[in-house]
Amino acid sequence: MLGANDGLVSNFSIVMGFAGGTTSAGNPEFILLAGIAGLLAGALSMGAGEYISMRSQRDQYEHQIDRKRIDLLNNPKVEKERLIHLYEEKGLSQLESETIATQIISNPKVALETLVKEELGISVEQLGAPWSASISSFVAFCAGAIIPIVPFFFGMEMIAIICSAFLSSVALLAVGGLLALISGKNPLWGSARMFLTGLFAATVTYSIGYSIGVYVN
């Protein structure tokens, strides 16, 4: 949802910036080209950034897990004492803690998962999939970024600009309301906030594009 919102706001701003910069609305193909470029650049950037972030985080976690695996292999008694101490801190008696720790240490796989979760706060099963996260970010960004440029595929000149603004505004209201609803907030306020934020960004880029267009021409 957040990726779609990023794509929507950024490409809406790009489209409005180019729309303001054209001396006439008779060249919708230039705006379409800018919109497609913005969509691809943003989606690829989001996807690559998400992959690098997830991959780096996963590498870091895997390194910590490998170190803990070596510690468990070389010093099982020390790791058992750590487990006993952890369970005592949770309120268990010494006898209960020793019993549980003994059972856990007897199974290397369970012992590793438990130590990693209790000491490092890492879940072995939830390290994340970099490629899945990357593709999801790419698709989400594209889903949002395609909305402002759809009317320009039909080459409707000024009507395309108006339709783009309308479709983007409706999408901003919908996304803002949905995000607020998910967060347990007032959906009307969420819609208004998202709409005003996107409108402000698009207005600024349109004004800048218009000023540059007037200056250049």
Side-chain angles (χ1 to χ4, degrees):
M1 186 62 69
L2 293 176
N5 180 61
D6 288 343
L8 173 61
V9 174
S10 64
N11 225 30
F12 182 33
S13 299
I14 289 174
V15 167
M16 290 299 107
F18 269 79
T22 56
T23 54
S24 69
N27 296 310
E29 63 272 13
F30 295 130
I31 303 175
L32 176 61
L33 178 61
I36 293 175
L39 182 152
L40 292 175
L44 289 170
S45 177
M46 283 281 290
E50 188 70 18
Y51 175 82
I52 292 172
S53 176
M54 289 287 293
R55 184 69 263 178
S56 298
Q57 184 182 60
R58 188 181 177 93
D59 288 344
Q60 180 183 1
Y61 286 163
E62 287 177 344
H63 176 65
Q64 291 178 298
I65 292 172
D66 287 339
R67 290 182 60 182
K68 181 54 62 178
R69 182 182 290 108
I70 293 173
D71 290 342
L72 182 61
L73 180 64
N74 295 334
N75 302 293
K77 292 183 178 179
V78 174
E79 298 304 322
K80 178 181 176 180
E81 289 298 322
R82 288 180 177 174
L83 280 175
I84 293 173
H85 180 66
L86 284 169
Y87 288 123
E88 286 179 338
E89 286 185 338
K90 292 179 181 292
L92 299 179
S93 67
Q94 182 178 0
L95 179 59
E96 290 173 329
S97 299
E98 289 180 354
T99 301
I100 295 173
T102 300
Q103 292 176 341
I104 291 174
I105 289 296
S106 65
N107 187 324
K109 181 179 179 181
V110 174
L112 178 62
E113 292 179 355
T114 303
L115 285 165
V116 166
K117 183 177 181 179
E118 296 290 350
E119 288 190 24
L120 305 178
I122 302 171
S123 175
V124 178
E125 298 177 351
Q126 298 177 345
L127 293 180
W131 276 113
S132 296
S134 175
I135 293 172
S136 297
S137 295
F138 180 89
V139 172
F141 190 96
C142 287
I146 193 68
I147 294 173
I149 64 175
V150 167
F152 295 97
F153 282 103
F154 304 98
M156 296 184 293
E157 303 180 356
M158 181 57 74
I159 297 177
I161 297 176
I162 297 173
C163 289
S164 175
F166 175 76
L167 290 175
S168 298
S169 297
V170 171
L172 286 168
L173 289 168
V175 171
L178 184 56
L179 286 174
L181 196 62
I182 293 173
S183 303
K185 304 296 183 180
N186 188 327
L188 293 178
W189 166 242
S191 294
R193 180 176 58 185
M194 189 68 72
F195 171 72
L196 292 174
T197 301
L199 183 63
F200 173 76
T203 301
V204 170
T205 54
Y206 182 91
S207 300
I208 293 173
Y210 180 80
S211 299
I212 294 174
V214 171
Y215 177 77
V216 171
N217 291 285

